[in-house]
Amino acid sequence: MKPGASPFAAAAPAQRIAHLARTMSSSSSAAGASTATSSTPAPWRSLFLEHINTMAAPEFTLATLHSSSSSSGLVPRARTCIHRGLFASLPANPKNEAPLNPPTYESDLLTLTTDARMHKTPDLAAGHAVEAVFWAREPATQWRVRGVAYVLPRDADADAALTAKLLREMRRTGEGEGEGEGEGDGDAASGWSFSREVTAHFGNLSPVMRGTFRNPPSGTPVAAGPPAEGEGLGQVVTDLEDEVARANFRVVVVVPDEVDRVDLSDPKRGRRWLYRRVGGGNDDAGGDTVPGAIREGDWEKVEVWP
């Protein structure tokens, strides 16, 4: 194995190549029955959330691959985003007037919000590969979350294949069964709706932040002409069903398959752990066991040199 290479990649090259081929595909397909199959929380989940809570703002760098017409093949793109909590566990906001889903599910899936007109949106759609990098200053720890992204529109429940795929990545909590029935078709048995979750994310934003989804399209020349009707900077949106803003608003869900944690709290003894999902909804399950790896639920964890 070459220095710096992931031991997971070295242990199962065929599986990794197959995975990359799938995640670079521009199309998605249904992923089995629409039932939650994730068994236990990821072993990194609790500490990750603890570190996120120490940050003044949960900022991270999101890296994607962008198809460029001006160069051959794919080019890297990175931008700063705000982590909006783990999917199905929306952070509490007493000012959010949107109807909320019952606490039926939880997950290990990262979320962020974006505008459908942003240049990054095509890079995120249909299960494309992404990497999210967090630096938690207080615990002096870097988190790199690698996986695939999916984009949820306003009417997310209408995409049966996508919701089935995400539902497989979620876990039932045993709470809230039957609450909120009749609103959406995400999971009729529990009354949980993907479309309602998207609206709740919109409601969790401030009215000024909601107003940014009425901005003129990002990156368009100012001299190209006046904004379209309803568009403009500095708007305040209080209507959770504002047609212009909601038409542009999207929730992005990142499904992790590898997590890289580097603890630099001791400058003389940095430590690093790699986690790889080897069960649950991961198509790359199996392969050779990495020396020193420990299986924890659907994940394999190994300590490596930093």
Side-chain angles (χ1 to χ4, degrees):
M1 182 173 67
K2 295 181 179 180
S6 166
F8 292 140
Q15 288 88 344
R16 297 303 302 155
I17 292 172
H19 172 70
L20 288 173
R22 282 190 297 274
T23 57
M24 291 304 297
S25 171
S26 61
S27 62
S28 61
S29 59
S34 56
T35 56
T37 58
S38 180
S39 56
T40 58
W44 49 267
R45 184 182 193 270
S46 177
L47 186 61
F48 173 75
L49 292 176
E50 180 182 321
H51 286 186
I52 291 295
N53 288 335
T54 68
M55 300 171 67
E59 298 175 347
F60 68 97
T61 299
L62 180 68
T64 62
L65 292 174
H66 181 75
S67 180
S68 175
S69 58
S70 60
S71 62
S72 58
L74 300 170
V75 293
R77 290 287 185 267
R79 73 286 291 166
T80 301
C81 300
I82 297 293
H83 180 239
R84 301 294 181 184
L86 298 182
F87 191 63
S89 300
L90 191 68
N93 180 356
K95 296 182 179 180
N96 186 354
E97 298 179 353
L100 304 179
N101 272 315
T104 308
Y105 293 104
E106 67 174 16
S107 76
D108 307 318
L109 316 181
L110 279 59
T111 64
L112 60 139
T113 57
T114 192
D115 191 307
R117 303 167 296 169
M118 290 287 185
H119 293 166
K120 69 174 175 286
T121 304
D123 303 348
L124 298 168
H128 284 186
V130 300
E131 179 165 307
V133 183
F134 298 77
W135 171 246
R137 183 177 300 276
E138 186 176 315
T141 299
Q142 175 182 265
W143 292 86
R144 298 171 65 184
V145 181
R146 308 180 185 104
V148 294
Y150 299 95
V151 179
L152 295 179
R154 183 179 188 176
D155 58 344
D157 285 328
D159 191 335
L162 175 57
T163 57
K165 180 182 286 289
L166 292 178
L167 197 58
R168 291 179 62 213
E169 306 292 344
M170 298 157 64
R171 294 180 297 277
R172 286 190 177 273
T173 63
E175 302 179 35
E177 299 292 340
E179 297 179 20
E181 292 185 16
E183 299 181 36
D185 301 319
D187 182 3
S190 68
W192 203 95
S193 162
F194 283 85
S195 296
R196 189 189 302 122
E197 193 73 2
V198 172
T199 298
H201 270 275
F202 187 71
N204 239 29
L205 303 178
S206 70
V208 172
M209 184 63 191
R210 294 175 208 153
T212 63
F213 294 94
R214 275 180 162 266
N215 285 354
S218 177
T220 56
V222 173
E229 183 178 356
E231 295 179 349
L233 300 179
Q235 299 195 59
V236 175
V237 171
T238 57
D239 181 3
L240 297 180
E241 298 299 336
D242 182 275
E243 288 300 327
V244 176
R246 290 302 306 274
N248 297 324
F249 179 75
R250 297 290 186 273
V251 173
V252 179
V253 180
V254 176
V255 179
D257 55 40
E258 287 188 1
V259 174
D260 184 334
R261 171 167 65 99
V262 181
D263 183 347
L264 301 176
S265 57
D266 183 348
K268 294 184 177 180
R269 177 64 173 96
R271 302 183 71 182
R272 181 183 180 190
W273 294 265
L274 297 179
Y275 304 81
R276 181 176 71 115
R277 196 159 61 119
V278 293
N282 189 15
D283 293 330
D284 292 339
D288 298 330
T289 300
V290 176
I294 300 172
R295 179 71 179 262
E296 297 186 29
D298 293 336
W299 290 78
E300 189 173 73
K301 172 186 176 183
V302 61
E303 184 170 7
V304 299
W305 293 111

